[in-house]
Amino acid sequence: MEGMMMMDVNHHRIKSNGIWMHVVEKGTGPLVLLLHGFPETWFSWRHQIAHLANHGYRVLAPDLRGYGDTDSPLSPSSYTVFHIVGDLVGLLDHFGQQQAFVVGIDWGAVAAWHLSLFRPDRVKGIVAMCVPFSPRFPNIKPTESFKQMFGDGLYISQFQEPGRAERAFARYDYLTVMKKFFLINKTDKLTAPPGMEFIDYLETPSWLPPWITEEELQVYADKFQESGFTGPLNYYRAMDLNWELLGPWQGSKITVPAKLIVGDKDIGFDCGGTEEYILGNVFKSLVPGVEVIVLEGGHHFIQQEKPQQVSDEILSFLRKLSL
């Protein structure tokens, strides 16, 4: 485990947008910013960091606000997309970089899309995984929409109440929580039955797939034992505040070159019309020219599950834009 955490990378502690951030760096060349999702840290990009650095790119992979060795403000109102994008702009400024390629998964994809929306001048191109850029529905808040579609048992709905998910998670050791999330094998919506907490609904797998080891899961568990889950959960608790603040960008489009990578077995892909949206015309109208790649057999943590395919897809996109 120590060997994995001592990967041949440089660790930085920088001040950005009023918080201290932990950032990992490797390689020289054009800058690629890697943004992790829930419940991850920079370590989720371990395969891509080495691959991209070996192919002539300078890679920066931060622990996002609330995660790992980056500061974790207590209030959910400190976790809007504006805060996250502000952190990333400050990070680019700290390293003296006017522009970067940006790669993000899950909440990291949300951050990448909004960095591209707010500051297209700082983004050469974006590769998003699992989460497409979504339109803002003007007449209903996200949590109300999710509740109408999926009821109170949806994980997003259960995560809204401060302290509720933290108390439920605390009934398990941190390694078990990591296993429950990383190895989700549900084929239906991520919705717990009435009266059940979502973390209890998730099964604890008795075996690990070949793409992740017990030692790698322990790396995450150790970090979350230090930092807790409140910061990561606050991203969900800021969803309605994001909606309120994003009103001025109603109908805005992503104007930077973009690629979306999603696994066909990702539980979010065939849920709530996501597949139809990604493959249809509305998404392509909001992100003109977007390239969509559906990886067969890929689940949610696709950069770890299929590291070579994902690294190749990122590289092909970067090289195409560098011509």
Side-chain angles (χ1 to χ4, degrees), residues 18-73:
I19 64 170
W20 286 99
M21 295 188 74
H22 171 239
V23 186
V24 162
E25 178 188 24
K26 186 176 177 67
T28 57
L31 184 64
V32 183
L33 191 58
L34 302 178
L35 309 176
H36 67 80
F38 175 92
E40 299 177 307
T41 65
W42 72 267
F43 186 67
S44 68
W45 296 109
R46 58 197 176 279
H47 305 292
Q48 286 74 34
I49 291 170
H51 193 77
L52 292 171
N54 289 339
H55 285 81
Y57 291 90
R58 181 187 185 191
V59 181
L60 293 176
D63 287 337
L64 294 179
R65 173 182 290 245
Y67 284 88
D69 294 318
T70 289
D71 284 354
S72 184

Side-chain angles (χ1 to χ4, degrees), residues 183-256:
L183 307 174
I184 284 174
N185 55 13
K186 302 286 183 188
T187 54
D188 54 355
K189 298 181 291 292
L190 294 180
T191 305
M196 181 181 282
E197 291 297 315
F198 177 71
I199 195 71
D200 298 332
Y201 172 62
L202 293 179
E203 297 163 11
T204 305
S206 56
W207 57 276
L208 298 181
W211 59 268
I212 199 161
T213 66
E214 189 96 4
E215 291 76 22
E216 287 170 328
L217 287 165
Q218 191 66 53
V219 170
Y220 292 110
D222 290 346
K223 275 298 161 198
F224 280 97
Q225 188 160 4
E226 293 174 15
S227 63
F229 289 104
T230 296
L233 290 165
N234 279 342
Y235 284 68
Y236 296 92
R237 294 165 184 157
M239 291 175 89
D240 283 351
L241 181 55
N242 281 334
W243 179 87
E244 293 177 20
L245 297 173
L246 283 167
W249 285 268
Q250 182 73 40
S252 293
K253 298 182 178 185
I254 300 294
T255 58
V256 304

Side-chain angles (χ1 to χ4, degrees), residues 20 37 55 58 99 103 113 119 159 169 290 293 295-298:
W20 286 99
H55 285 81
R58 181 187 185 191
Q99 281 195 317
V103 181
W113 288 122
R119 295 300 304 272
F159 288 177
F169 290 9
V290 65
I293 301 293
L295 292 185
E296 188 175 345

Side-chain angles (χ1 to χ4, degrees), residues 273-295:
T274 304
E275 179 178 1
E276 293 78 8
Y277 171 69
I278 289 173
L279 300 177
N281 292 325
V282 176
F283 176 52
K284 292 178 176 63
S285 71
L286 289 171
V287 191
V290 65
E291 180 184 359
V292 177
I293 301 293
V294 180
L295 292 185

Side-chain angles (χ1 to χ4, degrees), residues 169-188:
F169 290 9
R171 294 199 292 271
Y172 301 91
D173 64 83
Y174 286 85
L175 182 60
T176 299
V177 174
M178 292 298 107
K179 287 180 177 179
K180 281 174 170 279
F181 276 111
F182 276 104
L183 307 174
I184 284 174
N185 55 13
K186 302 286 183 188
T187 54
D188 54 355

